[in-house]
Amino acid sequence: MGRDVIVACDFASKEQVFSFLDKFTERKPFVKIGMELFYAEGPEIVREIKKRGHKIFLDLKLHDIPNTVKKSMAVLSNLDVDICNLHAAGTKRMMEAALEGLTRPDGTRPLLIAVTQLTSTDQESMENDLLIKEPIDKVVMHYAKCAAEAGLDGVVCSPLEAEKVHNLCGKEFLTVTPGVRFADGDIGDQKRVMTPAQAKEIGSDYIVVGRPITAAEDVVAAYNRCVAEFCD
Ligand code: C5P
């Protein structure tokens, strides 16, 4: 898979997501399904969106004991998604177990990427709540390295970290980056943002874009603008 724009479909119901997706009559966007929609509608929503011809990043961020993650990943693999994810904090052993669970009898599997430190975690909360005293960027890079060593395909990271991740883990190691805004757009609650063109420049493999597309007046035009800036 080459560079692509993944649309974060952060909707609460099937009706809302379908009325959004119905607007795309030409290019079918790569779709991110998160916990909100998955917990509201169950696995059927994944099958239905897949049936409509979309690639799917199932963003459920698994984190549990290796055996539980392995078995859960096998279930997600059967849903025929294209990308799924977990928390690198679950350890290398958990990530390796996840890969085993994800691999189908014929040897194929969805891509598996890791969340390093959530962008909602800052140095202070990491030190006080998690008792991790190292600088946060060092922790992020260490988690990325662990994910690569466990055999994962990439990480979710800030576009500002993408270049460093590639330098550390290799060019082939995927960087999937949220926090994308148009140069003339509203940044909302994202703190560190980049435009799709800048994300392309620094080497992001996939950008995850939510509100700049889902809340736009013309959602298809906003998506096409992202594609033009990032993919072409
Ligand atoms: O609407 P917006 O473009 O900010 O949406 C970004 C998407 O990426 C949301 O689904 C959000 O949960 C997700 N995300 C993020 N930052 C992270 C990890 C995921 O914004 N570090």
Side-chain angles (χ1 to χ4, degrees), residues 109-121:
R109 63 167 176 81
L111 294 172
L112 182 61
I113 59 175
V115 175
T116 56
Q117 282 291 347
L118 292 171
T119 44
S120 50
T121 306

Side-chain angles (χ1 to χ4, degrees), residues 8 10 32 119 156 178 181 190 208-212:
D10 294 323
K32 178 169 91 75
T119 44
V156 183
R181 292 293 180 266
Q190 294 284 10
V208 176
V209 188
R211 289 158 293 178

Side-chain angles (χ1 to χ4, degrees), residues 1-2 4-6 30-33 46 50 54-61 73 76-77 79-86 102 104 109-114 152-156 174-177 205-208:
M1 289 195 278
D4 207 350
V5 174
I6 302 180
F30 202 132
V31 160
K32 178 169 91 75
I33 300 176
V46 177
K50 189 84 200 173
H54 298 270
K55 285 187 176 162
I56 295 175
F57 168 20
L58 189 54
D59 179 19
L60 298 181
K61 301 187 180 72
M73 283 294 182
L76 301 186
S77 194
L79 283 176
D80 198 22
V81 297
D82 298 280
I83 306 180
C84 39
N85 65 354
L86 44 61
L102 212 51
R104 305 179 185 109
R109 63 167 176 81
L111 294 172
L112 182 61
I113 59 175
L152 267 70
D153 303 294
V155 286
V156 183
L174 301 173
T175 53
V176 178
T177 62
D205 297 288
Y206 295 91
I207 50 173
V208 176

Side-chain angles (χ1 to χ4, degrees), residues 69-70 73 86 93-102 112:
V69 169
K70 178 178 170 179
M73 283 294 182
L86 44 61
R93 202 153 73 80
M94 187 200 81
M95 293 193 265
E96 287 161 1
L99 274 179
E100 273 177 47
L102 212 51
L112 182 61

Side-chain angles (χ1 to χ4, degrees), residues 87-173:
H87 276 282
T91 74
K92 271 193 211 171
R93 202 153 73 80
M94 187 200 81
M95 293 193 265
E96 287 161 1
L99 274 179
E100 273 177 47
L102 212 51
T103 306
R104 305 179 185 109
D106 66 358
T108 63
R109 63 167 176 81
L111 294 172
L112 182 61
I113 59 175
V115 175
T116 56
Q117 282 291 347
L118 292 171
T119 44
S120 50
T121 306
D122 59 10
Q123 186 70 36
E124 193 188 348
S125 54
M126 198 183 67
E127 287 187 14
N128 295 341
D129 302 353
L130 308 180
L131 219 60
I132 299 173
K133 305 292 185 188
E134 302 285 343
I136 194 158
D137 59 328
K138 190 173 167 196
V139 176
V140 167
M141 291 306 145
H142 177 66
Y143 282 14
K145 190 95 181 104
C146 286
E149 285 168 4
L152 267 70
D153 303 294
V155 286
V156 183
C157 64
S158 151
L160 299 147
E161 295 158 355
E163 199 171 8
K164 228 169 149 185
V165 168
H166 278 141
N167 290 340
L168 184 70
C169 303
K171 264 209 131 10
E172 301 304 309
F173 195 66

